[in-house]
Amino acid sequence: MAKLPNLPPQHGNRGGFPRTTINAISLSIVHMIRDISALFSAVLLTATLVSPLAHACSSMMVTRGATMDGSTMVTYNADAQFLYGELRYTPADRHMAGIQRKVIDWETGELLGRIPEVPATYAVVGNMNERQLTIAESSFTARKELTPPSGMLDYGSLIFIALERTKTAREAILLMTRLAAEHGYSSYGESFSIADPNEAWLMEMIGKGVGNKGAVWVARRLPEGTLTASANHARITQFPLNDPDNTLYSPDVISFAREKGWYSGADKDFSFADVYNPFDFDAYRLTESRVWSIFRRAAPSLGLGPEYVDGSTLDKRLPLWVKPDRKLSAQDVMALIRDHFEDTPFDMSKDIGAGPYGLPYRWRPLWWDIDGKKYFNERALSTQQTAFSFVAQMRGWLPDAVGGLLWFGFDDTALTVYTPMYVGIRKVPKNFAEGVADRGRFSWDSSFWVFNWVSSQAYARWSDVVVDVQKEKNALEGGFFASQAEVEKTAVEKYKQNPEAARNYLTEYSVRQGDKVHAHWRKFGEELFVKYLDGNVREDTGKINFPRPREAWYRAIVRDTGRRLERGVQPAVTPP
């Protein structure tokens, strides 16, 4: 019998294994099964994630000094047209000496290598671990000289290894950068949002390219009372060189750039983003525009106009962080990531591409050309290719199992229902879980597919259907927020008597809410299908109406057809 290390106090017993000893052969079989399962999942992922997530994910962070209840918050939109959404749950675990952890690329499913496992790991729900540490990301492209990168660890592996092994944001940064230095970094550019109940850090990392192991990186701690956002472009420019409490960076972040001939100025003037991910027109219009839309609404007093991101000038820069005009609630933060550039020059619901019902979305490809000229579609925070998103709350004054709360949603942020998943839970709702379905197989048992089904109905007749969706969404989320205080009061009382009883209570509650949302949204989708059948609108009384499309759409038809459709006018007959 091989003796295993004791778990930290907050860890639970995984799958009924003995808490202090276990048969070594049995443990090896358990890990072999887990590795096979992980590899199988990776193979499925390979089929769905066949391209990098460039111009994809968005993230924001809000420090505790900028929130109404003193919680730190992190948001994440996992945006990719090939990505399947599910809520990942990894129980706490213990490992014998000599066990190796497989490193499987999060995007391609490729087995990149193995690293030594640690004696004990934390439980992880989505992108938050049981100590309330949360890590999100946003990818960006690097200088072409740095691609492809050379190393073992991709950004997804760094995130989940850090969540399994560390309990604070600072610890996560030190571990992620040490692992990248030891084993090499295999991804392109990444902005990591890393936060715990006390601190929020933005770390940007880029691999060194073929033949150069490791990565260059900078991490900055957000000042209390501020928020920041990332949207597929490096945002850290100049940074303090002697402020380790608030700024960390790789020893060669400047010298590597000098060696490559990319920088020759003074160290104090070095800008990470300008050197390693230079700003251009696309950076402003397709990436920084999403950051701008958060900043402009959170801090309207700053007067950040569209000239900061419309591409008319490339010398204006948004600040790295802003102080919101008022402290934010979780609902406020959700509203900030539910955005289509409404009432701005980039509002997609106003031009001809919006169709008859003012649709604020554009289907891929993002870039297109016609008649020899190149164009692009606007890229808003709310987008149809979101697989899942979340708003994470970290609250240090509560027990970790209660204080860590992941508001989790599937598909488009504007149309999803954020459902409370406490980090102390022992399982996730079956319709949210891994393995229920995949990106290439529809299933009524998958919340990802049910939400996409409803969203697709909304896209077909946006101005009408979105009213129904918002009503249902607000009712469900409003119920969660109304009961939150009582749920957490009960959980804390149970925790004082028996932490495991509190976890069981939160598991039952979170699973019940997930089941409720899944069933409700499917029934709601059925009702929408009946109401809007064949492009008509059926009232509750059974009366059929034909709502008028927007005036701009009719005028566009007239411009395109001339007098051919005008009643009482005989059009000229064009000879065959």
Side-chain angles (χ1 to χ4, degrees), residues 70-179:
S71 62
T72 306
M73 296 192 210
V74 172
T75 76
Y76 181 47
N77 301 6
D79 301 339
Q81 57 267 40
F82 303 111
L83 184 62
Y84 174 73
E86 54 195 1
L87 180 56
R88 176 176 180 168
Y89 172 66
T90 305
D93 206 351
R94 295 163 290 163
H95 309 95
M96 293 176 57
I99 293 292
Q100 296 283 302
R101 186 194 196 280
K102 286 188 176 181
V103 177
I104 297 175
D105 189 283
W106 201 39
E107 288 188 12
T108 68
E110 177 188 359
L111 176 63
L112 301 177
R114 295 172 174 82
I115 63 173
E117 190 54 278
V118 295
T121 51
Y122 294 111
V124 181
V125 179
N127 287 57
M128 182 191 291
N129 76 9
E130 62 180 277
R131 299 304 301 270
Q132 302 192 60
L133 171 67
T134 302
I135 308 178
E137 59 81 29
S138 180
S139 303
F140 57 85
T141 54
R143 301 183 69 105
K144 66 179 186 297
E145 298 94 334
L146 298 177
T147 57
S150 178
M152 181 196 301
L153 294 164
D154 69 299
Y155 72 91
S157 297
L158 284 179
I159 288 173
F160 290 108
I161 291 171
L163 289 172
E164 292 169 8
R165 299 184 180 190
T166 61
K167 61 183 183 294
T168 69
R170 192 180 293 264
E171 286 180 5
I173 291 168
L174 296 177
L175 175 67
M176 293 167 75
T177 55
R178 177 174 63 80
L179 290 175

Side-chain angles (χ1 to χ4, degrees), residues 304-366:
L304 300 173
E307 67 275 7
Y308 277 85
V309 292
D310 64 8
S312 60
T313 175
L314 301 185
D315 59 359
K316 277 186 175 290
R317 293 287 175 83
L318 293 172
L320 183 57
W321 45 64
V322 298
K323 181 178 180 179
D325 285 359
R326 60 177 178 82
K327 293 190 175 184
L328 306 175
S329 66
Q331 296 99 311
D332 293 328
V333 173
M334 291 174 188
L336 286 173
I337 62 173
R338 287 168 161 157
D339 178 64
H340 307 99
F341 296 128
E342 286 90 348
D343 302 320
T344 76
F346 316 127
D347 189 338
M348 289 180 281
S349 68
K350 305 301 184 184
D351 63 57
I352 189 63
Y357 302 108
L359 181 68
Y361 297 87
R362 298 295 180 270
W363 313 136
R364 293 300 177 104
L366 189 61

Side-chain angles (χ1 to χ4, degrees), residues 218 220 236-242 247 249-259 262-276:
V218 178
R220 300 205 64 185
I236 297 176
T237 53
Q238 286 81 14
F239 53 91
L241 300 176
N242 297 294
T247 303
Y249 53 92
S250 57
D252 60 348
V253 67
I254 300 176
S255 61
F256 182 74
R258 292 188 188 282
E259 175 188 325
W262 302 332
Y263 186 71
S264 59
D267 285 0
K268 65 180 180 62
D269 297 324
F270 180 81
S271 167
F272 183 88
D274 285 298
V275 170
Y276 289 115

